[in-house]
Amino acid sequence: MNIETAKLHLETSKLMGVNFLPVGIEATPTENDSDSNIDKQSLLEQLCATHDSSCPLCATPNHTQAVFGSGNPDASLLFVGDAPSVEEVQRGIPFVGETGEKLDQIILAIGFNRDDVYISNVIKSRLEDDRAPLPTEVEQCGTFLQKQIEIIEPTVIVTLGSVATKYVLNTNDDISRLRGQWGEFRTIPVLPTFHPAFLLRNYTKENRQQVWDDMQKVISKLKQ
Ligand code: URA
């Protein structure tokens, strides 16, 4: 619906005595939504529903909601973190709060905003006291990340920190060795970089420079 038609609808509704706006109505696709985007979005929603009904972490007593991922389902760039924390679970969005702001800055610095990219995690639920995930949890939840990647088909994946890097690259190598080195998930180029939370805790010029160098590599790869 264009703005003129929307205005007309609003004026007609007003004339008919309607003095409120309906909420909760599914947005109808506009001419700008590509078919691919719509299909990918609905596939991701189906996948999220399957996850929520089958993931053992979703069945634990303190579980409220999973944080499946957010952003553009047709993104060329996918960021993968480890697991949501308390604020992410409250809002149902990955990477909010201070860590999220740092990631937003990184995304802006390379000429994108949050809506252009897709952001997800290996683990979709909050782990008690933000503990490290067990290998079984990584395996179980990780299969959903793999399916997300199959749907989104990004051109480049950036893994943030150790958990995501180890899972996506199927390696046990340390992030300090892997950071800044291209790897592959199936045929998709993967660049490991520091997790924004690590960067905030270790806010040195050297670490910031390394993340910046990594992002330059990402931009070059996307331009190829
Ligand atoms: N850290 C992550 O890895 N993911 C989030 O969503 C938040 C913090």
Side-chain angles (χ1 to χ4, degrees):
M1 186 186 297
N2 64 31
I3 290 187
E4 288 317 308
T5 319
K7 270 191 195 156
L8 208 64
H9 274 289
L10 282 177
E11 274 161 18
T12 315
S13 303
K14 214 169 147 193
L15 283 173
M16 288 167 68
V18 178
N19 58 1
F20 59 90
L21 279 177
V23 290
I25 294 175
E26 289 275 332
T28 43
T30 68
E31 305 82 271
N32 295 333
D33 287 328
S34 71
D35 287 350
S36 136
N37 247 0
I38 297 161
D39 289 344
K40 288 184 176 191
Q41 182 58 37
S42 57
L43 287 172
L44 287 170
E45 280 164 15
Q46 283 165 29
L47 185 62
C48 176
T50 310
H51 167 268
D52 290 359
S53 61
S54 64
C55 169
L57 284 170
C58 294
T60 51
N62 292 333
H63 177 85
T64 49
Q65 66 170 334
V67 181
F68 203 66
S70 75
N72 179 358
D74 210 20
S76 55
L77 183 53
L78 169 68
F79 287 89
V80 182
D82 42 43
S85 196
V86 64
E87 283 173 282
E88 284 79 22
V89 167
Q90 276 164 1
R91 291 182 50 194
I93 304 170
F95 282 96
V96 293
E98 212 189 343
T99 312
E101 278 169 25
K102 186 45 66 193
L103 180 59
D104 285 345
Q105 280 174 13
I106 294 170
I107 293 170
L108 279 175
I110 56 171
F112 290 104
N113 65 52
R114 234 176 209 260
D115 299 334
D116 300 318
V117 304
Y118 199 88
I119 306 174
S120 192
N121 283 304
V122 178
I123 304 283
K124 314 295 188 197
S125 305
R126 181 169 185 226
L127 298 163
E128 218 175 14
D129 300 324
D130 298 321
R131 65 171 169 79
L134 302 171
T136 49
E137 292 165 340
V138 170
E139 278 316 308
Q140 278 156 357
C141 254
T143 50
F144 288 92
L145 173 66
Q146 291 197 30
K147 292 194 173 107
Q148 279 179 306
I149 298 173
E150 281 164 24
I151 295 170
I152 298 163
E153 300 175 294
T155 312
V156 171
I157 300 173
V158 174
T159 51
L160 302 165
S162 174
V163 172
T165 301
K166 286 182 174 170
Y167 182 74
V168 174
L169 291 179
N170 191 21
T171 177
N172 260 328
D173 266 6
D174 205 77
I175 177 72
S176 55
R177 267 173 46 81
L178 297 169
R179 200 226 98 246
Q181 310 290 324
W182 285 105
E184 252 184 15
F185 173 80
R186 301 188 190 150
T187 57
I188 305 172
V190 176
L191 195 74
T193 195
F194 290 138
H195 193 287
F198 169 87
L199 196 58
L200 284 169
R201 286 194 307 271
N202 304 274
Y203 209 61
T204 63
K205 197 168 174 216
E206 189 192 357
N207 289 340
R208 294 200 306 264
Q209 182 67 47
Q210 287 179 328
V211 173
W212 177 244
D213 292 345
D214 296 344
M215 293 306 114
Q216 298 303 309
K217 291 184 186 174
V218 169
I219 297 170
S220 306
K221 185 68 86 182
L222 287 170
K223 282 186 182 158
Q224 278 172 15

